[in-house]
Amino acid sequence: MPEQPLTLDAALSDEAVLSTYRRMFAALARDSGAVVDDPVLVDIAETLFAAFADAGEEWLTHEQMRLACGAYPADQFDNRLRVLKGLGAIREVFPKPNQLRYRASFTSVVGLMFIRRMMDDGGQSEMHRLLALEDLNVADPRTTMEEARQSAAGLARAFRLWALELITLTTGTIEELREQAPKLWGTEEIARRAQSVHGTILTRWPELDRVCTDLRAAIYAYSDASRRAAGRLADSAGTTRNLTLLPTETWRTFAQTATKERLAAVLDGFVFDAPAPWHDP
């Protein structure tokens, strides 16, 4: 299709989208184009947002922000403030010269809360929330068929990608599978919620049978992949089902790569009756 000339309205709409993204992820930005590599920098952002929330309508000056972050080095604070201001997470109360007071962006605070939850369980809680909202939305009499189509298509895409990730974990290393184990908690409830959304859409709009078929197939693929990954995770724990024990693959890798000294150190502290003849490790 021929390219349409960029209109002012289109440019403003694109900039609004990018501006929202910048504010959402400003807390994770090292500079305008890179992610932080030091968790302390994220802690500074959280400390600043908490200080703004406590300040209320008084807002904060530069000196007050520095006082709130007094536990952090000055150079780290200056870097954080520069990045947060540059990406719109912290802005002047009124855009005028010599402005002394600043306010924090609500979008940035919510974005950081979202990121913290993603770190805790890999997106499980967010998917539960999303499905609960989608179930309410598609049941709302004001929802149009096109909105329902977009909802079903978006969920199908999410479940397909999630299933692919779980398949990768199933065939990858057991260490990675254990690290990503939170993604396997509550999978049956997630599938049940998704089936409810699917059923509501198909009942209200039979014309959307094709997109509903795609959603149903994606849900089944996710359920199958999660069961396979959970089964492998349970098998790796042995008969005790204790996931804190090291899996067989870890011991095998250790035995193949460790030095003689490290191998010998494994038995330090053990006492054996009737010592056997000594063998070099």
Side-chain angles (χ1 to χ4, degrees):
M1 296 179 61
E3 289 190 9
Q4 299 293 329
L6 183 64
T7 64
L8 178 60
D9 288 341
L12 290 175
S13 176
D14 291 345
E15 179 56 32
V17 172
L18 293 176
S19 177
T20 300
Y21 279 126
R22 293 189 191 104
R23 290 196 298 271
M24 274 190 66
F25 298 104
L28 299 186
R30 184 177 68 228
D31 50 47
S32 59
V35 176
V36 298
D37 48 14
D38 185 354
V40 172
L41 301 182
V42 183
D43 294 338
I44 295 176
E46 283 197 322
T47 302
L48 275 173
F49 293 149
F52 275 106
D54 293 338
E57 295 183 10
E58 296 297 323
W59 301 295
L60 294 177
T61 64
H62 183 279
E63 290 74 18
Q64 289 171 321
M65 287 188 284
R66 180 67 190 107
L67 181 63
C69 297
Y72 303 101
D75 58 336
Q76 288 186 335
F77 167 77
D78 291 336
N79 171 70
R80 286 291 80 206
L81 186 58
R82 176 180 56 81
V83 173
L84 294 172
K85 288 169 63 177
L87 295 177
I90 292 178
R91 292 175 288 177
E92 297 89 350
V93 175
F94 301 107
K96 63 180 183 180
N98 303 317
Q99 176 62 237
L100 299 178
R101 293 192 172 273
Y102 297 87
R103 60 188 175 92
S105 166
F106 168 76
T107 304
S108 300
V109 177
V110 173
L112 193 51
M113 293 170 60
F114 162 77
I115 292 163
R116 289 295 188 187
R117 288 199 300 268
M118 292 288 288
M119 291 168 60
D120 290 338
D121 59 13
Q124 290 285 86
S125 61
E126 297 307 317
M127 182 55 87
H128 278 290
R129 289 178 173 86
L130 175 61
L131 289 171
L133 289 174
E134 290 294 340
D135 208 359
L136 292 174
N137 288 337
V138 297
D140 192 324
R142 296 167 296 182
T143 301
T144 65
M145 186 173 70
E146 184 57 32
E147 290 173 339
R149 183 196 305 277
Q150 293 176 2
S151 176
L155 289 177
R157 186 183 307 114
F159 276 109
R160 280 197 298 268
L161 291 174
W162 205 348
L164 290 173
E165 184 172 0
L166 293 177
I167 290 172
T168 302
L169 292 176
T170 304
T171 57
T173 65
I174 195 65
E175 290 84 0
E176 184 181 8
L177 177 58
R178 289 190 172 205
E179 181 182 342
Q180 301 294 330
K183 293 181 179 178
L184 302 175
W185 308 154
T187 54
E188 292 184 1
E189 175 65 16
I190 287 178
R192 186 191 65 77
R193 285 179 177 273
Q195 291 283 10
S196 176
V197 175
H198 163 271
T200 303
I201 294 175
L202 191 58
T203 301
R204 290 192 61 188
W205 298 280
E207 304 92 328
L208 299 180
D209 59 331
R210 182 181 295 275
V211 70
C212 284
T213 299
D214 292 341
L215 174 57
R216 186 166 60 252
I219 296 171
Y220 287 155
Y222 161 75
S223 297
D224 182 62
S226 63
R227 282 193 297 269
R228 289 164 56 191
R232 187 185 178 209
L233 186 65
D235 290 341
S236 73
T239 56
T240 65
R241 291 296 184 263
N242 185 355
L243 295 177
T244 64
L245 298 178
L246 291 178
T248 305
E249 289 90 338
T250 301
W251 285 112
R252 185 179 299 117
T253 300
F254 174 75
Q256 293 172 345
T257 60
T259 63
K260 290 190 297 183
E261 291 73 17
R262 289 197 67 194
L263 283 171
V266 172
L267 298 180
D268 284 350
F270 283 83
V271 178
F272 296 90
D273 295 331
W278 172 255
H279 295 283
D280 185 88

